[in-house]
Structures are given as C-alpha cells and as structure tokens.
Amino acid sequence: MSRGADLLLLGEKIITSRGASTAPLLGSELGCLTVIEKGAVAVKGGVIAAVGSEEEIVQRFPPEECRRIIESPGKMITPGLIDPHTHTVFGGSREDEFALRISGVPYLEILQKGGGILDTVQATRSTPYEELLEKSRGHLDRMLIGGTTTTEVKSGYGLDLENEMKMLQVINQLDREHPLDLEATFLGAHALPPEYRGRTDEFIDYMAQEVLPQVVEADLARHCDIFCEEGIFSISQSRRLLQKARELGLAIRFHADEMVSLGGAELAAELGAHSADHLLKISKKGIEAMAREQVVANLLPATPFTLMKDEYAPARDMIEQGVAIALASDFNPGSSPTHSVPLIMTLACLQMKMTPEETLNAVTINAAHSLGLGREIGSIEEGKKADLIIWEASNPRFIPYYYGTNLVQTVIKEGRVVVEQGQLRRSKNENQ
Ligand code: IZC
Ligand code: ZN
C-alpha cells in the first residue's frame, strides 16, 4: 500500500472533541475541545487516516506522495456539522404565515384552522416526485454551503401511505445522490389530516398498523418520530406508535414538551429513545429521567426565536444535571425557515447561555450520538469519515459570534472537496 494520502490538510489549528465516540459529552465535558496548533489531517479512501501535528503527519504521509494538499494558514479545521432534526422535504412555502404570526396569530391556532403544517401537507401531496426532489436538493445545497455534512430528514407532510412513501423515497434518493448524508425519519404522525378529523386514535392505528410496517418493509427509514403535543398527539397515542416502531426495529426520536409539559421527556426515557427534541417545557422529573437513561436532548432554539417566544429550553439546567445536549436547526417552512447550523449556535449562546465551545460539540459529536452515529462521524479522529470544514476564522468563538455571515470556506465530505471558496463544486471529478 502506498504511503501517500489522497488529501493532506495543513491548517493553523485543528479543533475537535476527542475520545467521545462511544458516549456523548456530558456536564463540564461538553465545553472541552482539543486544539492542535499547526495541525494536519491525512485522508485516505474518504476516511481520516491520521490527525496530529503537521510535523508528525508530514513524516508519516510525505507531501510529495499525496494526491492533493490544501494549506490553510490562519484558518481552523473542524468536523463537518451535523443537523439531527430537520423537515427538509416539503412542497410550497409559508411566508404568509410568517407575516400572520408577526401580526399576533399563534402557531397552533393557525394549525387548528387548517393552515400551518396542513398547508404544507396539501402542497406536498400535490407536488410531483421529481419536483419535490429538485426542491429538496436545493435546500441540501444551502445546508452544505453552511457546513452541514450530515442531516436527519423527516417525512410528515404526506400523512397517508402514498405521500409518506413519496417523501421517504425522495429522502433516500437524495442520500444516494447528494454529497450530504441523510438519516431518514418516519414522521407519519406529524398532524391529523382533514380526512381523519375527530378520529385521532384511528389515525394512529392506521399509521401503526398499515403505513409503518410498509415503510420498514421497504427499508425507507431508520428512525420514527411523532409530534407529541397538546392538541396534536397525546402521550398514550405517542407511546402506542413509538412502541410499534421500536418492535419493528426503528430508533426513536420525537417532538416532546415543546409548548405544554405533557411528560414527553419521561416517555422518551421509558422507551429508550435516541433523542427527545425541543423540550422548552421539560419538567424536573423529565430532566432526571433523560439524564438517567442517556436520552440526548436535541434543542432547537431557532423555533422559539421564529415563534417570537420569550422562553427557551433550560439548557444550563440540563447540562448541569447530566443530560447530553445536541443542537439542531428544525429546518421547516413554518417554525424554522433556516438552513444554517452556525445560526443555531448563535441562538444557543445568546438565548440559552451555552458557551461557543459547548455549541460546537453539540452540533458535532453530540449530534452524531443523537443519530446513533457517534462512531462514524462528529470528530476528527482516525477511522472516522473525512467530513471536515475549513473556516474563515482562527478560533471556534468566531462561528456563533459573526452571525448571519457564512464563515465556511471549504467543505470536505468523505474526502471530497464539495464546497470551495464558499461555493458548491458539482462534479465529482473536479476534485483531484
Ligand atoms: O411545518 O410547522 N413543529 N412541526 C412541529 C413543525 C413545527 C413543522 C411545521
Ligand atoms: Zn420538528
């Protein structure tokens, strides 16, 4: 085997967590980053072959034998960002709802009147497969430019067999075709469609008995979610659907305790969920239960920001009590129309008092754990996928600090340069 690397990255600093591939970072460890000054990363076959000081790496992988070298003096290199909660596939858009909410109409009231999610359901049902595919590809391109290299994507705007399958097929096709890696989540119980009005239990039965088994049979999703919320789906309906999903081998993650404290966090702990998401209204018992059962809390601060709330998830309490924290965009056309994970880091700092260092771990290694991918991605360590970002910045505090500005210069996905000078590179062959 040749000594040469496919790609050798030489940077001012390498910034990553270390030694957390088997379990998420908790408590004071969440703020711990390893900094390698004058560092280097060698990549071979899409995987990190070595990381360390430039001196050491260059000895092991002589530059003259490497296919490509990228030198980035003054710049830092971090792992690619991971977004563990998005609703990226949808028809239509909801800028009118945005304006309506500014005028004072609440999110749930819009939904109860048949708008909101149901507006997007109608638009998604009537959008043909190819159109949905291209629209979603565009969103993924924007995420990639912002440094996201892996994202979870939910169904949930179909709410019937045909359209849920259509959405999941789009997600799976994009996972194969787009540089970003996608984790597909079945969210058939996202809202009650008009044809089931007044028959919520029957709808849950339909999803659990008919749709879910076909999704699993076709191998279209790895995770199952439900919008567990007052006026949407109850704790017992959520338990019923999620238990069935677990029996069928899916991992569980769900919308919990966002607007009303229903005991979603406790249910997540009871079911051994990978994550419980939102958690603005998590109870003390919920925090204890999640810490005990090691359920990752996916916090989504862009949603209360967009909904103009004064309240955010109690991140500091949760960190202190040993809950693993990840952050996600919740990208969707209603309550969080942003593709940007760096913006989420800013909101987590300013509204939840997380430190910049904590937010970087929350969108890398802990986000990986929330998806069950802690061993494959989320840090710059030997054997992991070579998903890397070169930033127009020299330390991690710049990422949340300069909000609204994209500081991502280069994105490398499994060893391929996919964003250069902040622009997408489309052809696979352009790289070498
Ligand atoms: O389309 O409004 N909260 N689901 C639960 C959403 C927000 C997405 C939407
Ligand atoms: Zn969501």
Side-chain angles (χ1 to χ4, degrees):
M1 201 163 77
S2 99
R3 292 204 300 161
D6 298 335
L7 180 63
L8 191 60
L9 298 176
L10 310 173
E12 190 73 23
K13 284 191 179 89
I14 313 284
I15 313 258
T16 178
S17 67
R18 252 192 185 165
S21 297
T22 51
L25 292 168
L26 304 177
S28 59
E29 287 182 349
L30 183 62
C32 294
L33 290 167
T34 298
V35 179
I36 307 170
E37 305 282 350
K38 281 261 159 270
V41 185
V43 175
K44 239 180 146 162
V47 167
I48 296 166
V51 53
S53 71
E54 186 176 315
E55 218 176 314
E56 175 199 334
I57 300 301
V58 163
Q59 248 183 18
R60 283 179 60 192
F61 295 91
E64 60 281 8
E65 294 176 26
C66 294
R67 298 219 344 241
R68 180 167 181 187
I69 299 167
I70 302 180
E71 288 184 81
S72 313
K75 311 257 161 80
M76 67 169 177
I77 300 173
T78 72
L81 308 181
I82 299 167
D83 193 344
H85 180 135
T86 82
H87 307 251
T88 300
V89 176
F90 56 85
S93 60
R94 297 191 353 226
E95 66 282 9
D96 294 342
E97 178 190 323
F98 178 74
L100 203 59
R101 275 191 277 102
I102 295 166
S103 78
V105 188
Y107 175 85
L108 283 181
E109 192 179 314
I110 295 170
L111 177 57
Q112 269 136 24
K113 290 190 172 142
I117 296 176
L118 293 175
D119 224 35
T120 304
V121 169
Q122 210 177 23
T124 306
R125 284 178 173 179
S126 62
T127 303
Y129 184 90
E130 287 299 324
E131 205 179 304
L132 208 51
L133 187 76
E134 291 320 311
K135 188 176 162 90
S136 310
R137 201 191 302 277
H139 291 306
L140 294 179
D141 286 348
R142 289 200 160 87
M143 291 175 167
L144 193 63
I145 289 171
T148 304
T149 47
T150 298
T151 185
E152 184 259 15
V153 184
K154 303 172 193 301
S155 67
Y157 295 120
L159 309 184
D160 61 21
L161 177 65
E162 178 193 342
N163 288 291
E164 284 295 305
M165 294 296 257
K166 177 174 80 176
M167 289 188 72
L168 289 167
Q169 269 150 0
V170 166
I171 297 168
N172 280 271
Q173 184 169 345
L174 288 171
D175 180 41
R176 292 189 296 273
E177 293 178 0
H178 196 277
L180 252 156
D181 277 329
L182 277 64
E183 280 288 309
T185 296
F186 172 61
L187 176 57
H190 188 193
L192 192 67
E195 61 274 20
Y196 273 89
R197 190 158 294 150
R199 298 188 293 137
T200 313
D201 277 315
E202 272 177 59
F203 178 69
I204 292 291
D205 286 341
Y206 164 63
M207 280 295 153
Q209 307 304 335
E210 284 188 47
V211 184
L212 183 58
Q214 296 195 54
V215 167
V216 172
E217 176 65 30
D219 198 17
L220 288 176
R222 284 215 316 131
H223 312 259
C224 184
D225 190 349
I226 184 167
F227 191 9
C228 176
E229 184 58 64
E230 189 163 89
I232 316 286
F233 299 109
S234 69
I235 288 282
S236 67
Q237 287 160 346
S238 302
R239 183 184 285 109
R240 197 142 54 89
L241 180 74
L242 296 172
Q243 264 173 347
K244 177 79 183 179
R246 201 177 55 173
E247 274 166 39
L248 295 174
L250 297 190
I252 289 165
R253 51 199 320 100
F254 66 100
H255 292 68
D257 296 332
E258 180 187 356
M259 308 199 196
V260 177
S261 187
L262 291 184
E266 291 88 330
L267 179 64
E270 173 193 322
L271 295 174
H274 274 186
S275 77
D277 300 27
H278 283 295
L279 303 171
L280 273 68
K281 300 284 188 181
I282 189 171
S283 68
K284 260 179 151 320
K285 280 198 166 144
I287 294 180
E288 283 162 21
M290 284 183 62
R292 192 176 57 241
E293 299 301 327
Q294 295 209 11
V295 179
V296 178
N298 276 342
L299 306 185
L300 320 171
T303 308
F305 178 71
T306 306
L307 299 181
M308 298 172 290
K309 293 193 177 175
D310 298 327
E311 193 181 12
Y312 285 74
R316 289 254 62 94
D317 272 4
M318 292 190 211
I319 293 168
E320 245 166 62
Q321 298 196 43
V323 178
I325 305 291
L327 291 164
S329 70
D330 194 17
F331 172 57
N332 76 72
S335 62
S336 186
T338 181
H339 305 93
S340 170
V341 171
L343 176 62
I344 305 308
M345 295 167 69
T346 301
L347 293 171
C349 291
L350 299 181
Q351 306 288 20
M352 301 196 294
K353 308 291 181 282
M354 288 176 69
T355 67
E357 292 78 7
E358 287 174 336
T359 66
L360 185 58
N361 280 327
V363 299
T364 52
I365 190 66
N366 277 15
H369 283 294
S370 123
L371 294 169
L373 298 173
R375 289 171 198 272
E376 287 101 68
I377 52 175
S379 60
I380 308 180
E381 291 177 284
E382 214 177 298
K384 284 197 166 179
K385 283 187 183 175
D387 295 355
L388 303 157
I389 302 174
I390 304 170
W391 297 86
E392 292 277 0
S394 59
N395 85 59
R397 293 190 171 169
F398 278 102
I399 307 174
Y401 166 63
Y402 268 126
Y403 66 89
T405 300
N406 189 12
L407 296 180
V408 171
Q409 183 201 54
T410 305
V411 179
I412 291 149
K413 177 66 194 166
E414 290 179 65
R416 280 208 300 130
V417 177
V418 289
V419 171
E420 207 163 31
Q421 300 297 339
Q423 307 277 331
L424 280 185
R425 295 192 61 172
R426 294 210 174 259
S427 156
K428 286 187 181 176
N429 304 323
E430 277 174 72
N431 288 320
Q432 308 302 336

